[in-house]
């Protein structure tokens, strides 16, 4: 009679998806720069509206601030999230995942009802819906509770995957490859 490990195949068939720190930094940089530029622009417009036009020296200072602040803020955000960036492991044992800053969750394949993507670009989220809420095991460790979405009596876990490598579409294809066929 065959041993169960021989029937299941190799124990190390894990596929890992993660958020590269450089990609997170660049994304945080352009988002911060866009918000900061709008704030500075509004500040200058308000000054112009009340009749207090900035001098040439003040405009140079605004430009310096516009270039430096987003770099520093993006670096600070990355340092705060350094060891807490989102990840996902898909293996024969099930699905393990954690959103940025959240506790990890383990879900066996038999407990996964559906997986889907929502939103687009860096804001893409993976929606993992278990068959029942008690199928999921929340792990120990640092971080806040996993992000949940409750709709029509269903509980789903949300994972930020927009910046994951190799990409959300590849991640979804891997999950669909592993999901047991529903009859």
């Amino acid at each position: 009679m065959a041993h169960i490990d021989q029937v299941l195949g190799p124990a190390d068939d894990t596929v890992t998806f993660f958020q590269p720190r450089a990609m997170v930094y660049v994304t945080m940089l352009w988002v911060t720069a866009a918000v900061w530029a709008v704030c500075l622009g509004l500040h200058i417009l308000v000054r112009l509206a009340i009749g207090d036009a900035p001098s040439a020296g003040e405009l140079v200072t605004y430009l310096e601030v516009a270039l430096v602040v987003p770099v520093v803020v993006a670096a600070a955000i990355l340092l705060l999230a350094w060891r807490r960036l989102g990840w996902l492991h898909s293996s024969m044992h099930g699905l393990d995942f954690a959103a940025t800053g959240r506790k990890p969750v383990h879900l066996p394949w038999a407990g996964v009802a559906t997986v889907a993507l929502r939103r687009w670009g860096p804001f893409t989220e993976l929606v993992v819906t278990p068959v029942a809420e008690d199928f999921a095991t929340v792990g120990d460790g640092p971080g806040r509770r996993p992000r949940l979405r409750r709709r029509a009596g269903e509980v789903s876990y949300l994972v930020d995957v927009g910046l994951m490598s190799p990409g959300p579409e590849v991640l979804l294809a891997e999950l669909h490859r592993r999901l047991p066929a529903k009859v």
Side-chain angles (χ1 to χ4, degrees), residues 89-141:
H89 300 291
S90 168
S91 71
M92 66 183 247
H93 303 291
L95 183 60
D96 297 288
F97 56 87
T100 300
R102 306 292 179 147
K103 292 183 183 270
V105 176
H106 172 76
L107 196 57
W109 289 116
V112 177
T114 61
V115 292
L117 295 175
R118 72 178 194 166
R119 300 202 176 114
W120 56 271
F123 307 107
T124 304
E125 292 180 325
L126 177 68
V127 180
V128 180
T129 306
V131 173
E133 193 172 354
D134 58 346
F135 272 90
T137 305
V138 178
D140 295 330

Side-chain angles (χ1 to χ4, degrees), residues 52-181:
D52 182 23
S55 66
E58 289 175 324
L59 288 176
V60 169
T61 303
Y62 283 134
L63 182 61
E64 289 171 347
V65 168
L67 294 174
V68 172
V69 169
V71 172
V72 172
V73 169
I77 290 170
L78 184 63
L79 287 174
L80 288 173
W82 189 260
R83 293 190 158 269
R84 296 184 186 163
L85 294 176
W87 53 268
L88 184 137
H89 300 291
S90 168
S91 71
M92 66 183 247
H93 303 291
L95 183 60
D96 297 288
F97 56 87
T100 300
R102 306 292 179 147
K103 292 183 183 270
V105 176
H106 172 76
L107 196 57
W109 289 116
V112 177
T114 61
V115 292
L117 295 175
R118 72 178 194 166
R119 300 202 176 114
W120 56 271
F123 307 107
T124 304
E125 292 180 325
L126 177 68
V127 180
V128 180
T129 306
V131 173
E133 193 172 354
D134 58 346
F135 272 90
T137 305
V138 178
D140 295 330
R144 296 174 290 166
R145 291 181 318 204
R147 289 181 53 213
L148 295 175
R149 180 179 79 172
R150 297 180 190 276
R151 278 196 180 160
E154 252 183 10
V155 173
S156 299
Y157 292 90
L158 302 174
V159 184
D160 47 327
V161 298
L163 298 177
M164 283 197 182
S165 179
E169 291 78 18
V170 175
L171 183 147
L172 190 62
E174 166 64 16
L175 297 181
H176 282 296
R177 180 183 74 85
R178 292 205 186 247
L179 280 173

